Amino acid sequence: MGRVRFVRFTDDQGEPLIDPRAYLERLPELAPELPPGAREFATDPGHYDFHGQRCVKDLKLRSQAWDPEANALELFFRHNCWKHEEDLTIRYAGLRSLHTDLAVVSDPVSTTFDVVLDEVLPHQGGCLHEIEFWGGTMVVAADDLTAAWTGADCPDRSR
């Protein structure tokens, strides 16, 4: 598992570049194969709008919670006050696998767990959600996912 298929993070010379266009071009083909919650999340018009409130870029992974009885995983992402007005919680139902390759840091202010971008793909009757962070990747395979945006406290909105 690992490494997104369509979203590019470097150009042909290896220079940093975040480009979801190849994924967005394939998304109309992929979306009908996704379970309902994953489809709704992946096709949200704001998901890849870098200037939009609901773009996942720059969210910070805050915590995770595992519910063994429900076989569910929740990831909690904190907003970026310069960009978002909401936090994001993603709940994976019917968790099939979780693979992480994340840097270990002692500095809580580190950008290591800031989201660069993600991809949601069909996978064995469910979905595969790969999240690329500045400090590694997380790949979740599940029956489906639901994404919920909730209001966040961000007192300083000056830019």
Side-chain angles (χ1 to χ4, degrees):
M1 298 235 163
R3 293 297 167 225
V4 293
R5 292 186 203 168
F6 302 107
V7 174
R8 294 183 59 204
F9 297 101
T10 58
D11 65 15
D12 294 336
Q13 289 76 39
E15 294 297 317
L17 166 81
I18 303 170
D19 185 359
R21 288 179 296 182
Y23 176 71
L24 292 172
E25 288 171 6
R26 292 288 309 272
L27 193 54
E29 299 168 38
L30 300 170
E33 298 177 43
L34 290 170
R39 183 180 326 114
E40 181 180 350
F41 179 59
T43 61
D44 181 315
H47 194 122
Y48 290 98
D49 175 2
F50 291 160
H51 303 289
Q53 290 286 320
R54 290 195 169 177
C55 180
V56 297
K57 185 178 181 314
D58 300 322
L59 291 171
K60 183 183 283 283
L61 180 63
R62 185 180 61 200
S63 64
Q64 60 185 11
W66 161 243
D67 180 349
E69 288 183 27
N71 189 30
L73 172 71
E74 285 186 317
L75 299 180
F76 304 96
F77 295 89
R78 182 162 168 73
H79 64 283
N80 175 321
C81 281
W82 297 104
K83 179 176 183 177
H84 305 99
E85 293 180 0
E86 298 173 298
D87 292 331
L88 174 64
T89 301
I90 301 176
R91 181 177 176 84
Y92 302 91
L95 184 67
R96 298 177 185 187
S97 65
L98 170 64
H99 297 275
T100 60
D101 177 17
L102 297 173
V104 176
V105 297
S106 58
D107 176 11
V109 182
S110 170
T111 61
T112 300
F113 301 119
D114 286 8
V115 175
V116 180
L117 271 187
D118 69 337
E119 282 185 355
V120 182
L121 300 169
H123 181 71
Q124 300 176 351
C127 61
L128 187 71
H129 187 201
E130 182 160 352
I131 307 166
E132 185 80 24
F133 298 92
W134 288 115
T137 60
M138 179 179 284
V139 182
V140 183
D143 292 342
D144 199 1
L145 66 82
T146 54
W149 293 90
T150 55
D153 179 25
C154 199
D156 182 11
R157 284 231 168 261
S158 59
R159 294 183 188 219

